[in-house]
Amino acid sequence: AVVSTQSGHYGRVANSNQEDISVMGIDEDVAHKSSDKDVEFDTLIGHLQDIVLEDGFQDLQDKFLSEHCEEFEEDEENKLIYTEIYNSYITQIEGYISRRLEELHPSFQMDLLLTMIKSRREEVDPELFDTLASFADFVLFKETMLNYKSQRDNEMSEFPTLVVTSFACGLPKS
């Protein structure tokens, strides 16, 4: 059936399994390209969410933080070494994400993904966006390092107390 839209465009009614793009006066080729871009965006974002939750990614990040957190101090002034560590972190994190996305989505291009994320920020899960933003923000990186160091130090300070207490409880009384 041919239907006239409010704008005066004519189109045929799409079948019930498709959006009625013809009735809306939208060129089907443009709509399909747009739809393809939406599918690609959704697919890449889904892969990204999976990647940042993977054990391999978590292990990489944890190992890096553990190896370098001692360099960081709660001080307003940043040391030159912080920049070197940050650059190394970015290289390793981006490298891991890129490799995994290329494995999962062979036509993946990082520049295209970054452009899509910037232009469609509101469509990205806020938690994922914050995670991705933390990779590109030195201040957040430094806070992450300091938080990791603090958490690790707190865990370490609790451990010896537990060991000593357990050991003392097991000693025979004289």
Side-chain angles (χ1 to χ4, degrees), residues 115-153:
T115 300
M116 286 192 292
I117 289 173
K118 286 178 186 173
S119 68
R120 299 171 76 163
R121 183 187 187 280
E122 68 283 349
E123 297 176 50
V124 178
D125 175 68
E127 194 171 318
L128 176 63
F129 189 85
D130 290 345
T131 299
L132 296 174
S134 74
F135 304 145
D137 185 328
F138 175 77
V139 173
L140 288 174
F141 170 75
K142 182 179 177 185
E143 286 175 15
T144 300
M145 278 293 193
L146 291 170
N147 289 337
Y148 185 91
K149 180 180 178 181
S150 175
Q151 184 178 23
R152 192 195 65 191
D153 290 348

Side-chain angles (χ1 to χ4, degrees), residues 47-169:
H47 288 323
L48 263 175
Q49 288 174 318
D50 293 342
I51 290 167
V52 298
L53 295 174
E54 288 176 349
D55 288 341
F57 180 82
Q58 295 296 320
D59 292 345
L60 171 70
Q61 192 173 30
D62 199 46
K63 180 180 178 200
F64 190 92
L65 295 174
S66 178
E67 289 175 357
H68 299 285
C69 70
E70 285 303 316
E71 295 289 341
F72 288 80
E73 299 172 0
E74 297 265 358
D75 192 6
E76 291 294 318
E77 190 174 325
N78 293 320
K79 299 178 183 178
L80 183 58
I81 188 89
Y82 296 178
T83 303
E84 294 171 20
I85 293 169
Y86 175 67
N87 289 336
S88 176
Y89 178 73
I90 294 301
T91 300
Q92 287 186 31
I93 294 297
E94 281 185 4
Y96 183 91
I97 290 173
S98 263
R99 281 189 305 278
R100 291 293 295 128
L101 282 171
E102 287 169 3
E103 290 169 10
L104 297 168
H105 195 82
S107 64
F108 166 74
Q109 296 174 3
M110 182 63 88
D111 292 343
L112 180 61
L113 175 63
L114 295 176
T115 300
M116 286 192 292
I117 289 173
K118 286 178 186 173
S119 68
R120 299 171 76 163
R121 183 187 187 280
E122 68 283 349
E123 297 176 50
V124 178
D125 175 68
E127 194 171 318
L128 176 63
F129 189 85
D130 290 345
T131 299
L132 296 174
S134 74
F135 304 145
D137 185 328
F138 175 77
V139 173
L140 288 174
F141 170 75
K142 182 179 177 185
E143 286 175 15
T144 300
M145 278 293 193
L146 291 170
N147 289 337
Y148 185 91
K149 180 180 178 181
S150 175
Q151 184 178 23
R152 192 195 65 191
D153 290 348
N154 287 339
E155 289 172 3
M156 292 296 227
S157 68
E158 291 173 10
F159 183 71
T161 305
L162 294 173
V163 171
V164 170
T165 304
S166 300
F167 182 71
C169 292

Side-chain angles (χ1 to χ4, degrees), residues 32-48 101 105-109 112-113 116 120:
H32 286 292
K33 286 179 185 173
S34 176
S35 177
D36 290 346
K37 287 181 181 180
D38 290 342
V39 169
E40 182 172 16
F41 178 77
D42 292 343
T43 300
L44 287 172
I45 293 300
H47 288 323
L48 263 175
L101 282 171
H105 195 82
S107 64
F108 166 74
Q109 296 174 3
L112 180 61
L113 175 63
M116 286 192 292
R120 299 171 76 163

